[in-house]
């Protein structure tokens, strides 16, 4: 047999993929396309065949003749449990389809998030970052992320990863403000219709981070988020109210969980003042002390709250001669 080179193999794969797409659109038969997506997924998402599959579907999703059917197909794929279909949906939503039809992309990502496949969570996180670039859908996207953080089924997986994507710099190694704090700055600048994340929504996301962070500090998402947000306060003092208010409300809880979250936050904040590769400064120490004093103030205020009186028992309608001998 003649051995074909890489370019010829990709050319042949593209022709086969195009044929499968045309069959799906014209004959409403997705089976060949789904089989190709599955096989190329098994081949490896870092290999050239997988990006080719995603690119073919993404291109068909924005082409006038094929878009209506492909949009419906992606919606169905988003609710199916196969990781290869879920991964394809997320990557297409991160591509040109997501940029042109962002609201549709969000609905499909919501369905994928409900499945919670670990193989697609990181890709879903990147999709959230990309779609955040469209300012017109930020409110809807933030609402989805908060809902994922609230739900028991997704809080520790999808909720944690997607909120982290917005709470950290993008990418996490880059300088500048985290995406959520960038939105606060834009709203403070009185930009018309600028979206401001609600403190309550931020609190929900931060509790998701803190609940996963029990144990010693290190390269945790929580530490990176705390470092980024406190660094932001040092750089832009106007962010202090929203950052401190968010962190205070996050740990101001009744019951046994409150002290655990509070101590976790304090530890991470101390690591921010002086830790590995993080030189000490008096300015950082002062800021950490201010935050710690506010946490103590909240704790004292909560402990000093009067205990709500217990409701009195309803008067008994039993006759006075009842055998239990209760007095009036």
């Amino acid at each position: 047999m003649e051995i074909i080179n890489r370019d010829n193999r990709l050319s042949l794969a593209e022709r086969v993929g195009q044929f499968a797409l045309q069959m799906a659109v014209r004959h409403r038969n997705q089976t060949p396309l789904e089989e190709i997506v599955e096989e190329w997924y098994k081949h490896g998402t870092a290999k050239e065949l997988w990006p080719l599959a995603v690119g073919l579907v993404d291109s068909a999703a924005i082409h006038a003749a094929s878009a209506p059917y492909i949009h419906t197909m992606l919606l169905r794929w988003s609710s199916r449990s196969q990781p290869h279909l879920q991964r394809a949906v997320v990557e297409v939503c991160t591509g040109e389809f997501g940029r042109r039809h962002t609201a549709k992309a969000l609905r499909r990502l919501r369905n994928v998030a409900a499945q919670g496949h670990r193989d697609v969570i990181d890709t879903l996180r990147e999709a959230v970052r990309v779609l955040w670039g469209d300012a017109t859908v930020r409110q809807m996207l933030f609402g989805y992320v908060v809902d994922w953080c609230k739900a028991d089924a997704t809080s520790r997986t999808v909720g944690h990863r997607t909120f982290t994507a917005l709470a950290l710099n993008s990418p996490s190694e880059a300088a500048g403000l985290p995406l959520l704090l960038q939105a606060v700055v834009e709203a403070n600048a009185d930009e018309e219709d600028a979206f401001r994340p609600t403190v309550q929504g931020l609190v929900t996301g931060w509790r998701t981070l803190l609940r996963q962070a029990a144990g010693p500090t290190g390269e945790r998402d929580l530490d990176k988020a705390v470092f980024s947000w406190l660094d932001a306060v040092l750089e832009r003092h106007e962010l202090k109210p929203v950052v401190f208010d968010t962190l205070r409300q996050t740990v101001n809880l009744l019951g046994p969980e409150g002290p655990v979250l509070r101590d976790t936050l304090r530890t991470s904040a101390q690591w921010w003042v002086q830790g590995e590769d993080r030189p000490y400064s008096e300015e950082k120490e002062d800021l950490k002390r201010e935050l710690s004093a506010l946490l103590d103030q909240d704790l004292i205020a909560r402990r000093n709250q009067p205990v709500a009186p217990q409701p009195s028992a309803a008067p008994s309608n039993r006759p006075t001669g009842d055998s239990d001998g209760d007095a009036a």
Side-chain angles (χ1 to χ4, degrees):
M1 291 182 61
E2 179 184 357
I3 299 176
I4 64 174
N5 59 30
R6 174 182 177 276
D7 291 339
N8 288 336
R9 184 173 69 252
L10 287 177
S11 177
L12 178 60
E14 184 172 6
R15 290 173 62 186
V16 171
Q18 287 284 8
F19 177 79
L21 266 172
Q22 291 171 7
M23 177 174 287
V25 174
R26 292 180 182 176
H27 302 287
R28 302 301 191 262
N29 183 1
Q30 299 174 23
T31 303
L33 180 60
E34 291 182 5
E35 290 178 352
I36 287 174
V37 170
E38 182 177 11
E39 288 302 316
W40 291 1
Y41 178 81
K42 292 177 181 177
H43 192 262
T45 56
K47 304 286 183 68
E48 60 266 11
L49 289 178
W50 178 254
L52 178 60
V54 173
L56 287 171
V57 177
D58 189 28
S59 178
I62 62 173
H63 192 278
S66 55
Y69 181 77
I70 298 300
H71 292 184
T72 301
M73 182 189 77
L74 290 172
L75 185 62
R76 290 172 179 166
W77 282 10
S78 69
S79 297
R80 291 172 59 180
S81 61
Q82 293 95 326
H84 60 280
L85 298 181
Q86 300 252 309
R87 178 73 178 256
V89 170
V90 173
E91 294 200 23
V92 170
C93 289
T94 313
E96 193 62 30
F97 165 72
R99 293 181 177 89
R100 294 196 187 186
H101 305 281
T102 310
K104 287 187 175 183
L106 283 176
R107 287 193 289 273
R108 284 145 185 80
L109 291 178
R110 180 180 58 185
N111 291 344
V112 171
Q115 302 288 335
H117 275 293
R118 293 189 177 276
D119 293 342
V120 301
I121 288 175
D122 286 338
T123 310
L124 182 61
R125 176 179 60 186
E126 295 306 314
V128 166
R129 281 179 174 158
V130 170
L131 296 179
W132 186 263
D134 185 348
T136 64
V137 300
R138 287 179 184 172
Q139 183 171 358
M140 183 188 301
L141 178 57
F142 183 69
Y144 283 174
V145 171
V146 171
D147 287 343
W148 297 336
C149 289
K150 287 179 180 178
D152 291 339
T154 56
S155 63
R156 294 182 176 273
T157 54
V158 175
H160 174 87
R161 298 291 183 86
T162 54
F163 183 78
T164 301
L166 301 181
L168 292 176
N169 297 341
S170 181
S172 59
E173 297 80 12
L177 294 175
L179 297 177
L180 289 169
L181 293 182
Q182 288 179 20
V184 173
V185 170
E186 292 171 5
N188 288 344
D190 293 328
E191 292 190 13
E192 237 178 85
D193 300 326
F195 165 66
R196 175 192 290 272
T198 63
V199 170
Q200 193 53 51
L202 295 175
V203 166
T204 299
W206 269 97
R207 284 178 181 165
T208 300
L209 294 184
L210 285 165
R211 283 166 178 153
Q212 279 202 320
T217 57
E219 285 299 315
R220 305 179 304 182
D221 288 336
L222 169 67
D223 296 317
K224 295 175 183 177
V226 170
F227 297 170
S228 296
W229 283 49
L230 294 182
D231 283 340
V233 173
L234 284 182
E235 295 172 11
R236 307 187 67 126
H237 293 289
E238 71 272 18
L239 288 174
K240 184 192 291 187
V242 67
V243 171
F244 276 19
D245 195 24
T246 297
L247 296 179
R248 291 171 67 182
Q249 291 191 39
T250 298
V251 300
N252 194 16
L253 288 169
L254 286 171
E257 188 179 34
V260 175
L261 298 189
R262 191 178 298 106
D263 288 345
T264 303
L265 176 60
R266 289 183 194 273
T267 302
S268 190
Q270 180 58 45
W271 198 257
W272 170 73
V273 173
Q274 186 173 20
E276 187 177 355
D277 299 325
R278 297 193 65 82
Y280 172 85
S281 75
E282 290 187 5
E283 190 177 13
K284 289 162 63 177
E285 178 69 34
D286 291 342
L287 191 66
K288 190 269 294 183
R289 285 179 178 172
E290 182 179 352
L291 175 60
S292 185
L294 291 171
L295 297 181
D296 290 340
Q297 177 181 315
D298 294 337
L299 180 60
I300 293 172
R302 179 172 288 282
R303 288 182 174 176
N304 288 337
Q305 286 179 349
V307 178
Q310 296 296 320
S312 56
S316 174
N317 292 323
R318 292 175 299 174
T320 56
D322 196 49
S323 59
D324 62 9
D326 284 347

